[in-house]
PDB file of all heavy atoms in Angstrom:
ATOM      1  N   ASN J  49      -4.896   7.133  -5.156  1.00 95.00           N
ATOM      2  CA  ASN J  49      -5.045   7.648  -6.494  1.00 95.00           C
ATOM      3  C   ASN J  49      -6.396   7.202  -7.141  1.00 95.00           C
ATOM      4  O   ASN J  49      -6.519   7.001  -8.335  1.00 95.00           O
ATOM      5  CB  ASN J  49      -3.894   7.100  -7.392  1.00 95.00           C
ATOM      6  CG  ASN J  49      -2.631   7.864  -7.112  1.00 95.00           C
ATOM      7  OD1 ASN J  49      -2.371   8.883  -7.664  1.00 95.00           O
ATOM      8  ND2 ASN J  49      -1.764   7.274  -6.243  1.00 95.00           N
ATOM      9  N   ASN J  50      -7.366   7.154  -6.282  1.00 94.00           N
ATOM     10  CA  ASN J  50      -8.760   6.841  -6.690  1.00 94.00           C
ATOM     11  C   ASN J  50      -8.877   5.532  -7.500  1.00 94.00           C
ATOM     12  O   ASN J  50      -9.703   5.381  -8.383  1.00 94.00           O
ATOM     13  CB  ASN J  50      -9.328   7.988  -7.538  1.00 94.00           C
ATOM     14  CG  ASN J  50      -9.465   9.265  -6.732  1.00 94.00           C
ATOM     15  OD1 ASN J  50      -9.979   9.237  -5.601  1.00 94.00           O
ATOM     16  ND2 ASN J  50      -9.097  10.383  -7.297  1.00 94.00           N
ATOM     17  N   PHE J  51      -7.981   4.642  -7.206  1.00 95.00           N
ATOM     18  CA  PHE J  51      -7.950   3.316  -7.865  1.00 95.00           C
ATOM     19  C   PHE J  51      -7.745   3.401  -9.353  1.00 95.00           C
ATOM     20  O   PHE J  51      -8.224   2.547 -10.113  1.00 95.00           O
ATOM     21  CB  PHE J  51      -9.193   2.490  -7.512  1.00 95.00           C
ATOM     22  CG  PHE J  51      -9.202   2.068  -6.086  1.00 95.00           C
ATOM     23  CD1 PHE J  51     -10.049   2.622  -5.170  1.00 95.00           C
ATOM     24  CD2 PHE J  51      -8.254   1.132  -5.551  1.00 95.00           C
ATOM     25  CE1 PHE J  51     -10.074   2.271  -3.845  1.00 95.00           C
ATOM     26  CE2 PHE J  51      -8.283   0.759  -4.265  1.00 95.00           C
ATOM     27  CZ  PHE J  51      -9.193   1.292  -3.342  1.00 95.00           C
ATOM     28  N   GLU J  52      -7.074   4.402  -9.798  1.00 95.00           N
ATOM     29  CA  GLU J  52      -6.748   4.524 -11.209  1.00 95.00           C
ATOM     30  C   GLU J  52      -5.398   3.863 -11.489  1.00 95.00           C
ATOM     31  O   GLU J  52      -4.393   4.128 -10.788  1.00 95.00           O
ATOM     32  CB  GLU J  52      -6.609   5.994 -11.577  1.00 95.00           C
ATOM     33  CG  GLU J  52      -7.912   6.819 -11.496  1.00 95.00           C
ATOM     34  CD  GLU J  52      -7.741   8.233 -11.756  1.00 95.00           C
ATOM     35  OE1 GLU J  52      -6.698   8.665 -12.216  1.00 95.00           O
ATOM     36  OE2 GLU J  52      -8.753   9.019 -11.550  1.00 95.00           O
ATOM     37  N   LEU J  53      -5.386   2.967 -12.431  1.00 96.00           N
ATOM     38  CA  LEU J  53      -4.098   2.265 -12.738  1.00 96.00           C
ATOM     39  C   LEU J  53      -3.021   3.251 -13.233  1.00 96.00           C
ATOM     40  O   LEU J  53      -3.348   4.151 -14.020  1.00 96.00           O
ATOM     41  CB  LEU J  53      -4.331   1.216 -13.817  1.00 96.00           C
ATOM     42  CG  LEU J  53      -4.933  -0.113 -13.337  1.00 96.00           C
ATOM     43  CD1 LEU J  53      -5.252  -1.025 -14.507  1.00 96.00           C
ATOM     44  CD2 LEU J  53      -3.968  -0.793 -12.375  1.00 96.00           C
ATOM     45  N   PRO J  54      -1.757   3.042 -12.818  1.00 97.00           N
ATOM     46  CA  PRO J  54      -0.714   3.841 -13.391  1.00 97.00           C
ATOM     47  C   PRO J  54      -0.434   3.503 -14.859  1.00 97.00           C
ATOM     48  O   PRO J  54      -0.818   2.438 -15.278  1.00 97.00           O
ATOM     49  CB  PRO J  54       0.515   3.492 -12.503  1.00 97.00           C
ATOM     50  CG  PRO J  54       0.204   2.128 -12.044  1.00 97.00           C
ATOM     51  CD  PRO J  54      -1.277   2.096 -11.867  1.00 97.00           C
ATOM     52  N   ASN J  55       0.249   4.404 -15.557  1.00 96.00           N
ATOM     53  CA  ASN J  55       0.621   4.108 -16.931  1.00 96.00           C
ATOM     54  C   ASN J  55       1.797   3.179 -17.013  1.00 96.00           C
ATOM     55  O   ASN J  55       1.933   2.271 -17.833  1.00 96.00           O
ATOM     56  CB  ASN J  55       0.915   5.389 -17.704  1.00 96.00           C
ATOM     57  CG  ASN J  55      -0.318   6.143 -18.114  1.00 96.00           C
ATOM     58  OD1 ASN J  55      -1.180   6.403 -17.301  1.00 96.00           O
ATOM     59  ND2 ASN J  55      -0.391   6.475 -19.406  1.00 96.00           N
ATOM     60  N   THR J  56       2.778   3.437 -16.106  1.00 97.00           N
ATOM     61  CA  THR J  56       3.999   2.636 -16.090  1.00 97.00           C
ATOM     62  C   THR J  56       4.408   2.192 -14.661  1.00 97.00           C
ATOM     63  O   THR J  56       4.074   2.864 -13.679  1.00 97.00           O
ATOM     64  CB  THR J  56       5.195   3.374 -16.703  1.00 97.00           C
ATOM     65  OG1 THR J  56       5.486   4.503 -15.883  1.00 97.00           O
ATOM     66  CG2 THR J  56       4.912   3.877 -18.097  1.00 97.00           C
ATOM     67  N   VAL J  57       5.061   1.080 -14.644  1.00 98.00           N
ATOM     68  CA  VAL J  57       5.640   0.548 -13.387  1.00 98.00           C
ATOM     69  C   VAL J  57       7.111   0.157 -13.675  1.00 98.00           C
ATOM     70  O   VAL J  57       7.378  -0.495 -14.628  1.00 98.00           O
ATOM     71  CB  VAL J  57       4.824  -0.689 -12.893  1.00 98.00           C
ATOM     72  CG1 VAL J  57       5.523  -1.296 -11.736  1.00 98.00           C
ATOM     73  CG2 VAL J  57       3.407  -0.336 -12.624  1.00 98.00           C
ATOM     74  N   THR J  58       7.982   0.578 -12.796  1.00 98.00           N
ATOM     75  CA  THR J  58       9.399   0.243 -12.940  1.00 98.00           C
ATOM     76  C   THR J  58       9.960  -0.174 -11.576  1.00 98.00           C
ATOM     77  O   THR J  58       9.961   0.600 -10.613  1.00 98.00           O
ATOM     78  CB  THR J  58      10.205   1.428 -13.477  1.00 98.00           C
ATOM     79  OG1 THR J  58       9.592   1.934 -14.675  1.00 98.00           O
ATOM     80  CG2 THR J  58      11.617   0.974 -13.771  1.00 98.00           C
ATOM     81  N   ALA J  59      10.450  -1.405 -11.518  1.00 97.00           N
ATOM     82  CA  ALA J  59      11.062  -1.886 -10.252  1.00 97.00           C
ATOM     83  C   ALA J  59      12.426  -1.230 -10.095  1.00 97.00           C
ATOM     84  O   ALA J  59      13.127  -0.974 -11.087  1.00 97.00           O
ATOM     85  CB  ALA J  59      11.239  -3.385 -10.325  1.00 97.00           C
ATOM     86  N   PHE J  60      12.781  -0.970  -8.826  1.00 97.00           N
ATOM     87  CA  PHE J  60      14.122  -0.357  -8.559  1.00 97.00           C
ATOM     88  C   PHE J  60      15.183  -1.485  -8.637  1.00 97.00           C
ATOM     89  O   PHE J  60      14.945  -2.628  -8.121  1.00 97.00           O
ATOM     90  CB  PHE J  60      14.103   0.218  -7.114  1.00 97.00           C
ATOM     91  CG  PHE J  60      13.193   1.393  -6.932  1.00 97.00           C
ATOM     92  CD1 PHE J  60      12.446   1.523  -5.788  1.00 97.00           C
ATOM     93  CD2 PHE J  60      13.028   2.316  -7.956  1.00 97.00           C
ATOM     94  CE1 PHE J  60      11.592   2.612  -5.622  1.00 97.00           C
ATOM     95  CE2 PHE J  60      12.128   3.429  -7.747  1.00 97.00           C
ATOM     96  CZ  PHE J  60      11.491   3.533  -6.571  1.00 97.00           C
TER      97      PHE J  60
END
Side-chain angles (χ1 to χ4, degrees):
N49 283 277
N50 297 316
F51 292 108
E52 296 174 10
L53 279 174
N55 283 51
T56 66
V57 174
T58 309
F60 296 140

